[in-house]
Amino acid sequence: MDKIVFSKPALLTDTPMHYCPGCTHGIVHRLIAEALGEIGEFDNVIGIAPVGCAVFAYNYFKCDMFQAAHGRAPSVATGVKRARPDSTVFVYQGDGDLASIGMAEIVHAATRGENMTVIFINNGIYGMTGGQMAPTTLEGQKTTTSQFGRNPLEHGNPIKICEMLSTLTGPAYIARTSVHDVKNVRATRDALVRGFKMQKQKRGFSLIEILSTCPTNFHMTPIAALEYVKTTGVKAYPLGVYKDVGLNEEEAK
Ligand SMILES: Cc1ncc(C[n+]2csc(CCOP(=O)(O)OP(=O)(O)O)c2C)c(N)n1
Ligand code: SF4
């Protein structure tokens, strides 16, 4: 019999995704499903979908899903995880959702050390609503509401979520990765696995920020958008681990 070397992760449904061509939301969905599969979590996973382009994430994951009001996913996840402490709970949020309207919720969930894993998609823009400036929009980046480029004097400076949250006591694991090439896609998968292991070992709050693309609102081809993240995005948002309290490595194998 032929050996299967590549297949769809068990935690993804067969529903075709609605994302624009070249959008990296789909890549991250797959990585989440792979990471959960790697730690053997199939039947006891609960995801919280955001408001934003990933609002229909509940159609794509083969697990129980909630869809939260804009920015409120960490609060919904808090209730879910406290009611079902043995489940594995993931929160999926864009940068408008998490770093603007939902800033209070994410900071307080992090400082409380809620035992959940947050996947934070930083594409530097409000994708769903037509490309307005987000808290994460890069200095000089043109958006529909910063047509001459983000000017810190006028628009303020971009917010660095990993740097900020890693100053708190509650978080167990905070890392920033990117999906602009294969090497970084693999690193993102590893970071997701570590985040989920933190939760399994009840270490507390974990957040993986993933630099992502929105080719539609960047007004770029999918390849040019990946190149933009590679050359410009990672300079403003350095990749790496910002906090890691450690795992019981024996148990984590
Ligand atoms: C309470 C509320 N305010 C505003 C909106 C409008 N809204 C929908 S999606 C969105 C921005 C989403 O951007 P982001 O979170 O960056 O996700 P992306 O679409 O880029 O994946 C906004 C402002 C809303 N649906 N509800
Ligand atoms: S608008 Fe941007 S973030 Fe939304 S699906 Fe399209 S490419 Fe992805």
Side-chain angles (χ1 to χ4, degrees):
M1 202 173 75
D2 291 340
K3 190 173 165 223
I4 296 173
V5 291
F6 190 79
S7 63
K8 192 167 195 163
L11 268 162
L12 286 184
T13 66
D14 291 330
T15 309
M17 293 182 188
H18 72 285
Y19 300 116
C20 306
C23 176
T24 50
H25 271 304
I27 293 174
V28 178
H29 285 13
R30 182 183 170 108
L31 295 177
I32 293 168
E34 285 185 2
L36 287 164
E38 183 170 324
I39 63 160
E41 282 298 292
F42 295 103
D43 301 326
N44 202 16
V45 180
I46 305 174
I48 318 292
V51 165
C53 282
V55 65
F56 298 133
Y58 52 76
N59 285 329
Y60 308 139
F61 289 100
K62 216 182 274 176
C63 62
D64 286 334
M65 295 286 294
F66 277 84
Q67 197 273 311
H70 205 24
R72 313 301 179 231
S75 304
V76 173
T78 298
V80 169
K81 183 72 185 186
R82 289 185 180 202
R84 294 268 186 275
D86 292 329
S87 59
T88 297
V89 173
F90 75 88
V91 173
Y92 191 98
Q93 292 187 273
D95 40 10
D97 190 85
L98 181 145
S100 188
I101 194 169
M103 181 61 103
E105 281 77 5
I106 196 66
V107 171
H108 286 273
T111 203
R112 291 193 307 269
E114 296 293 342
N115 192 27
M116 59 174 70
T117 304
V118 178
I119 294 101
F120 169 42
I121 305 298
N122 178 358
N123 60 13
I125 213 154
Y126 282 31
M128 186 192 219
T129 41
Q132 296 92 344
M133 188 174 64
T136 45
T137 296
L138 300 176
E139 187 175 339
Q141 187 179 343
K142 291 185 180 149
T143 70
T144 49
T145 49
S146 59
Q147 300 223 340
F148 302 104
R150 182 179 194 151
N151 172 0
L153 292 177
E154 195 180 344
H155 307 119
N157 295 288
I159 294 178
K160 299 184 174 185
I161 290 292
C162 286
E163 287 83 337
M164 190 177 80
L165 294 185
S166 59
T167 65
L168 301 172
T169 308
Y173 180 68
I174 306 272
R176 183 183 290 124
T177 66
S178 177
V179 285
H180 66 262
D181 61 17
V182 173
K183 179 175 157 236
N184 284 284
V185 165
R186 293 176 75 97
T188 298
R189 187 180 182 282
D190 291 345
L192 290 167
V193 169
R194 193 157 181 90
F196 286 128
K197 284 182 177 173
M198 289 280 166
Q199 188 180 159
K200 288 288 282 177
Q201 291 192 7
K202 300 190 172 28
R203 290 289 196 274
F205 182 91
S206 54
L207 179 142
I208 298 99
E209 173 176 344
I210 304 173
L211 301 189
S212 300
T213 66
C214 174
T216 301
N217 289 302
F218 291 179
H219 303 289
M220 292 178 186
T221 63
I223 289 174
L226 293 171
E227 197 60 30
Y228 178 71
V229 172
K230 179 181 170 186
T231 55
T232 312
V234 298
K235 280 205 188 89
Y237 293 109
L239 307 182
V241 177
Y242 285 80
K243 187 166 183 192
D244 188 335
V245 298
L247 284 169
N248 177 337
E249 296 296 346
E250 267 314 297
E251 200 186 302
K253 274 181 194 157

